[in-house]
Amino acid sequence: MQSLSAWMLALVGFAIGAAAGFAVRHAKLCSFGAIEDALMGGDSRRLRIFGLALGIAIVGTQALVIGGLLDPAQTTYTPAAIPIVAIIIGSVMFGVGMALVGTCGFGSLVRLGAGDLRSLIVLIVLGATAYATLRGVFANFRIVVLEGLSIAMPDDIRSDLASLSARTLGYDVRALIAAIAGGGLCLLAFSHPRLRRSPRLLSAGVALGLLTVAGWIATSWIGDEFSGPMRPQSLTFVSTVGKAFYAALLSTPGFADFGVGSVFGVIAGAFLAAWRSDELQWEAFDDDREMRRHLGGAALMGIGGILAGGCTIGQGITAGSMLSLSWPFAVGGMMIGARLGIATLIDTTPRQLLSRSWASLLGKTHPSK
């Protein structure tokens, strides 16, 4: 039987997820949309909003660490060895899948809350492939082969920027790093004239940052040490989706989990925002081609998200708030994957994309042709 504290964590996770889902749906914010705007349209406003969320999360999370209220060593984002190969492969896979679906796992939950039944299918596939990679048929290959190719940190220090800087310089500069990184990201958002006139976007960014910190606080303070070891965690939406479906099918006590609670919370919050603005609408696939694209993208996100250690929220904001050294590799890989996915959609198929790239290469090598 699950302890009362576990169910309390699930309820807190639901509340935090609901607030995140409401804020993002209300602002019509999307991580893939932000990347697409920046890469294809030259519009960085929505990307700056995620930067604002990260900046606030960095300042708040590092304040918890400095105050002794959160131990980075207990989280999954600062291991003593970085599985760099798994992160790079997984993040690119996730980015491609995100482009094929048109949003990430978090965005799919938000869309489902507004009545998009395509997202229900996406989340089922994402959750199944994520759980298979986390604990199922793909888990052994992930652990033994991919995660075995890792970079060990010197002297077994934690793989975060503050710990590495302290070892290199000989003194702790965590507060300085947090102030520069967090403050700089916030300034980058508020310095944009058009963003300053977009209170919905700004409020969504602030909410995401504060809710990430709230997740760390809740999972650090609410817990029963006698019921087993508990890792502090915050918002992430790949493994938690898999755990949610596993709990629904096979293990009712599995609902007593912060991450699982946050999954259902996002759906509820998005539903409330869509209902409040009279935007609830049932949507389904237009044809079999669209369905195949979504199924393939969902599988790539499920497998890739586990390999990468999180999604655009889990790695992009939650791991970033920990100053994790995996953050630039994961976020960079997702952006590269998203760009490849967009190119694949434009060129219809990966085969055509490769053909055109090869033809372009030959054209540069042999100008006479």
Side-chain angles (χ1 to χ4, degrees):
M1 183 176 178
Q2 295 293 97
S3 66
L4 179 62
S5 62
W7 288 105
M8 281 294 296
L9 267 178
L11 289 175
V12 172
F14 181 90
I16 290 175
F22 183 91
V24 168
R25 172 65 196 183
H26 181 64
K28 294 180 172 57
L29 188 62
C30 171
S31 55
F32 172 69
I35 294 172
E36 186 177 29
D37 286 350
L39 293 180
M40 306 301 292
D43 183 355
S44 64
R45 282 178 298 166
R46 288 201 286 179
L47 203 58
R48 288 172 187 250
I49 291 299
F50 282 99
L52 172 63
L54 175 58
I56 293 172
I58 287 174
V59 172
T61 300
Q62 294 308 308
L64 294 176
V65 174
I66 293 169
L69 303 175
L70 174 62
D71 182 4
Q74 293 183 3
T75 73
T76 60
Y77 296 111
T78 60
I82 306 174
I84 190 68
V85 173
I87 290 172
I88 291 174
I89 293 174
S91 60
V92 173
M93 289 177 64
F94 188 91
V96 173
M98 186 168 56
L100 295 178
V101 171
T103 190
C104 62
F106 178 58
S108 295
L109 292 169
V110 172
R111 286 184 177 183
L112 177 59
D116 191 338
L117 296 180
R118 295 171 299 185
S119 293
L120 176 60
I121 303 301
V122 167
L123 289 166
I124 291 173
V125 175
L126 186 154
T129 53
Y131 204 85
T133 308
L134 183 68
R135 296 179 181 172
V137 67
F138 303 137
N140 191 57
F141 179 78
R142 170 182 64 84
I143 295 169
V144 175
V145 178
L146 294 180
E147 293 185 357
L149 301 172
S150 59
I151 299 176
M153 299 300 295
D155 300 329
D156 287 331
I157 62 171
R158 310 312 298 181
S159 56
D160 64 272
L161 182 58
S163 297
L164 184 61
S165 299
R167 181 188 180 278
T168 303
L169 299 175
Y171 52 90
D172 190 0
V173 290
R174 184 180 296 275
L176 179 62
I177 294 172
I180 292 174
L185 287 167
C186 293
L187 181 62
L188 200 62
F190 283 105
S191 64
H192 196 288
R194 292 179 64 186
L195 271 184
R196 290 200 298 270
R197 298 192 295 270
S198 302
R200 283 190 179 187
L201 283 174
L202 289 173
S203 62
V206 172
L208 275 179
L210 293 176
L211 291 168
T212 300
V213 179
W216 289 124
I217 293 174
T219 55
S220 296
W221 293 0
I222 302 175
D224 182 2
E225 61 183 5
F226 297 105
S227 65
M230 296 185 64
R231 286 183 177 272
Q233 58 181 305
S234 193
L235 297 176
T236 188
F237 299 99
V238 179
S239 62
T240 51
V241 174
K243 291 176 181 178
F245 277 108
Y246 178 83
L249 294 173
L250 299 171
S251 174
T252 301
F255 286 115
D257 177 84
F258 172 86
V260 173
S262 70
V263 166
F264 291 102
V266 170
I267 298 172
F271 170 82
L272 181 60
W275 173 76
R276 184 172 176 269
S277 57
D278 197 24
E279 293 176 343
L280 283 173
Q281 183 177 354
W282 295 115
E283 295 185 58
F285 294 109
D286 293 332
D287 51 36
D288 62 326
R289 180 180 175 185
E290 184 185 28
M291 184 172 184
R292 289 197 303 270
R293 175 163 57 82
H294 278 69
L295 292 176
L300 287 172
M301 284 199 293
I303 297 171
I306 296 299
L307 295 180
C311 57
T312 51
I313 302 298
Q315 272 288 356
I317 299 178
T318 301
S321 73
M322 273 291 166
L323 302 176
S324 172
L325 294 179
S326 67
W327 180 86
F329 299 103
V331 172
M334 288 175 190
M335 294 187 73
I336 291 171
R339 184 63 185 87
L340 290 173
I342 293 170
T344 299
L345 292 175
I346 293 173
D347 289 298
T348 306
T349 66
R351 181 178 179 182
Q352 289 178 339
L353 174 62
L354 291 173
S355 297
R356 293 187 186 188
S357 300
W358 180 247
S360 176
L361 179 62
L362 290 178
K364 292 179 181 179
T365 307
H366 304 288
S368 59
K369 296 183 179 180

